[in-house]
Amino acid sequence: MNWNFNKKAAGKQCLFLLLLFLFFICLWKYNQFQKVELVSTQGRDFQKAVVIQVVEDNLQEDGSRTGQQKIMLRMKTGPLQGEMVEATSTNGYLFGAPCEVGMDVVVIESISGDISIHSVYSADREWAVYGFLAVFLLIVCLVGGRKGFLACAGLVFTGICIIYLYIPMIYRGNSPFAAAVLVAALTTLVTMYLIGGWSKKTVSSVLGTVAGVVMAGVSAWAFGLAAGVGGYNVSNIESLMVLEDLVGIRVGELLFSGLLISSLGAVMDVAMSVSSAVFEIHEQNPALSVAGLFRSGMRVGRDMMGTMVNTLILAFAGGAVSTLLLNYAYQLPYLQIINSNNMDIEIMQGISGSIGVVLTVPFVSFVASVLAAGKKETEPDV
């Protein structure tokens, strides 16, 4: 009997891997298209280099920096790899870097015939980014063991879906809202399967997550309709309008689509936790009815609501801390603040995401209770 169970589980895993492989093939083919060139970059590229000499520094006696540095670089990549070139590094918070001998930098290289111009874009932070990511994944794997490794695999899949499915779908003129729902469903399905296998618990978690993010999007749309706030009220609307004219991107839906993606993690957490609790309670007390399981799920969900709502509100508040500080420092009047597009968008995102989390609790409690109460005792929870 045990051999039959293992054979069945192995078959499900092989089917999952096959479907995942076919998905990646389709994803690769979907990304084979030519993008519209917005800015000509011919003869201009970003390359790596190392600072060999500071020819002229811009460090002042009081410790501040004014003007530009003149430096000598040895190119590490590009057509001039291995050669020494002269470059400048501006004094700015967004571009340039205070260069020192031996420092790795990223350089904007412009070549036209025999003439080449180099300027420092920033310090080379690539190693820090990938190193920090590696430390994070290692910690998750060490603490979580096999579950942690599978969680990392789910995270990688989510990143692939966002970069190679969600963004290309929007770029090619598809509905951003539909793209967000599709990505939410796919990432939730794969993540839940990796963590808990294919079971009724996974089904209820996926359904609860999709329903939660959709409800968050609908609530944001309703708020935007009532307040007159939409995707055309964002700060970078001029650049987005250019894309809308040239490519056909649906700019009006971007704001609400982004809300779905940003609230996905919290909604997924609530859906999985409540679903797991309901099925665990059923395992311990199989005689409990749908109503009893539903009440238990609601109790668990209510305990999570406070922390999860705070999580989303604080996340959006943290992202808007610069705006909040400027409003405070300039002592802007209440009517200006409460009617500001930026402030209303932040409020809409925080509250709508929280609504999605809260409404996920009764939905997933009901679905999990119905599926758990109808679960046969002999059914294995893969």
Side-chain angles (χ1 to χ4, degrees):
M1 185 66 181
N2 187 43
W3 181 84
N4 291 332
F5 167 71
N6 290 336
K7 183 178 180 181
K8 182 179 179 180
K12 289 182 178 180
Q13 292 175 358
C14 290
L15 177 61
F16 172 75
L17 292 176
L18 176 61
L19 292 175
L20 201 61
F21 175 75
L22 294 176
F23 171 75
F24 283 133
I25 293 295
C26 294
L27 202 61
W28 176 78
K29 290 186 177 180
Y30 185 74
N31 281 268
Q32 303 304 307
F33 64 92
Q34 188 68 35
K35 296 180 183 178
V36 176
E37 186 178 15
L38 300 177
V39 179
S40 177
T41 58
Q42 185 176 4
R44 177 177 176 271
D45 205 352
F46 288 79
Q47 306 293 349
K48 292 184 177 183
V50 60
V51 179
I52 301 300
Q53 179 186 359
V54 179
V55 179
E56 183 178 326
D57 206 349
N58 60 351
L59 183 64
Q60 307 301 308
E61 294 182 358
D62 60 358
S64 63
R65 292 184 178 274
T66 304
Q68 296 181 332
Q69 283 180 310
K70 291 183 179 180
I71 55 179
M72 293 298 296
L73 303 173
R74 185 177 71 246
M75 302 301 298
K76 298 169 63 177
T77 61
L80 301 179
Q81 182 178 357
E83 297 185 19
M84 300 280 290
V85 299
E86 185 179 280
T88 59
S89 180
T90 59
N91 176 48
Y93 293 106
L94 298 179
F95 305 103
C99 296
E100 299 176 355
V101 175
M103 180 178 177
D104 292 323
V105 294
V106 175
V107 180
I108 302 176
E109 182 179 68
S110 300
I111 300 178
S112 177
D114 297 330
I115 301 175
S116 63
I117 300 175
H118 297 80
S119 60
V120 174
Y121 174 71
S122 70
D124 187 359
R125 307 185 183 105
E126 185 179 21
W127 67 272
V129 173
Y130 287 113
F132 199 59
L133 179 60
V135 170
F136 164 70
L137 296 177
L138 180 61
I139 291 175
V140 173
C141 291
L142 290 176
V143 175
R146 178 177 176 273
K147 292 286 187 179
F149 175 78
L150 294 175
C152 291
L155 178 62
V156 171
F157 180 81
T158 299
I160 291 174
C161 283
I162 291 176
I163 296 174
Y164 296 104
L165 180 61
Y166 176 65
I167 300 299
M169 282 185 69
I170 296 176
Y171 183 86
R172 298 179 70 166
N174 295 291
S175 169
F177 195 91
V181 172
L182 176 61
V183 168
L186 285 173
T187 56
T188 304
L189 178 62
V190 172
T191 302
M192 298 299 185
Y193 176 83
L194 290 173
I195 295 175
W198 182 250
S199 62
K200 291 183 178 181
K201 179 175 68 176
T202 300
V203 173
S204 63
S205 301
V206 173
L207 293 177
T209 301
V210 174
V213 296
V214 169
M215 287 184 285
V218 170
S219 61
W221 171 81
F223 175 87
L225 192 64
V229 176
Y232 292 95
N233 298 111
V234 294
S235 57
N236 54 349
I237 185 60
E238 289 81 8
S239 300
L240 291 173
M241 290 297 293
V242 173
L243 286 179
E244 186 177 48
D245 293 336
L246 295 177
V247 184
I249 291 175
R250 303 186 188 183
V251 174
E253 297 182 34
L254 284 179
L255 179 62
F256 308 109
S257 174
L259 172 66
L260 266 65
I261 298 297
S262 61
S263 62
L264 175 59
V267 173
M268 186 188 300
D269 189 12
V270 170
M272 186 59 174
S273 299
V274 173
S275 180
S276 297
V278 169
F279 276 85
E280 180 62 26
I281 293 170
H282 172 73
E283 291 294 331
Q284 300 301 320
N285 187 4
L288 205 59
S289 64
V290 172
L293 290 173
F294 177 77
R295 286 193 294 270
S296 298
M298 288 297 295
R299 292 191 190 100
V300 173
R302 284 167 182 155
D303 289 339
M304 299 183 64
M305 280 182 190
T307 55
M308 282 302 166
V309 167
N310 273 335
T311 297
L312 283 176
I313 294 295
L314 292 175
F316 287 115
V321 67
S322 299
T323 302
L324 294 174
L325 179 61
L326 289 174
N327 291 342
Y328 179 82
Y330 282 98
Q331 303 181 54
L332 300 182
Y334 165 77
L335 285 178
Q336 180 179 355
I337 295 175
I338 199 64
N339 289 286
S340 167
N341 285 327
N342 292 335
M343 185 60 63
D344 288 345
I345 287 174
E346 295 296 334
I347 293 172
M348 177 189 70
Q349 290 177 328
I351 293 179
S352 298
S354 300
I355 289 175
V357 168
V358 171
L359 293 182
T360 299
V361 172
F363 182 88
V364 75
S365 296
F366 174 75
V367 173
S369 300
V370 172
L371 293 178
K375 180 180 179 181
K376 299 178 182 179
E377 295 184 7
T378 58
E379 180 184 343
D381 192 11
V382 180

